[in-house]
């Protein structure tokens, strides 16, 4: 059966649907910066506590956690993982909170990747 509805009426005089339409030339999204979460060495935090932190908050295996902990112990600083800003910030806060609650001086910080 043919459609009996009226066709679309013409636009009123003085209007032009093509005018005023901005053309986007920039891509809509930018790559988010990534941040390295770093552990710092100290003389008092037990090695086992650092390994547990790396397993629990950074999803490392016991072997990888032990390797990172020993790297920090020997060189002073080491990377736990690389994350978007909000995730990195949350992990730093979680590590510092757990360390404080257990009265360990463990320090954790973050820095932007270039
Ligand atoms: N240096 C500590 C010790 O000998 C172990 C340790 C490793 C502490 C890594 C902090 O981020 C750290 N008990």
């Amino acid at each position: 059966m043919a459609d009996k509805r009226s066709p679309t009426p013409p636009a009123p005089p003085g209007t032009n649907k093509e005018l005023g339409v901005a053309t986007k030339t920039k891509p809509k999204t930018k790559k988010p910066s990534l941040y390295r979460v770093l552990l710092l060495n100290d003389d008092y935090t037990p090695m086992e506590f650092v390994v547990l932190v790396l397993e629990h908050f950074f999803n490392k295996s016991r072997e990888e956690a032990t390797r990172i902990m020993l790297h920090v112990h020997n060189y002073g600083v080491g990377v736990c993982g690389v994350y978007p800003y909000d995730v990195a910030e949350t992990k730093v806060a979680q590590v510092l909170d757990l360390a404080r609650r257990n009265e360990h001086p463990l320090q954790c910080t973050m820095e932007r990747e270039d």
Side-chain angles (χ1 to χ4, degrees), residues 42-61:
D42 66 74
D43 292 339
Y44 305 104
T45 304
M47 290 185 173
E48 178 60 18
F49 182 82
V50 178
V51 171
L52 289 172
V53 161
L54 287 159
E55 290 179 315
H56 186 79
F57 295 118
F58 300 97
N59 306 313
K60 304 302 184 190
S61 66

Side-chain angles (χ1 to χ4, degrees), residues 39-48 50 68-74 76 106-107:
L39 273 182
L40 306 182
N41 190 37
D42 66 74
D43 292 339
Y44 305 104
T45 304
M47 290 185 173
E48 178 60 18
V50 178
I68 295 169
M69 181 280 295
L70 286 174
H71 177 94
V72 176
H73 177 73
N74 288 319
L106 182 63
Q107 288 300 303

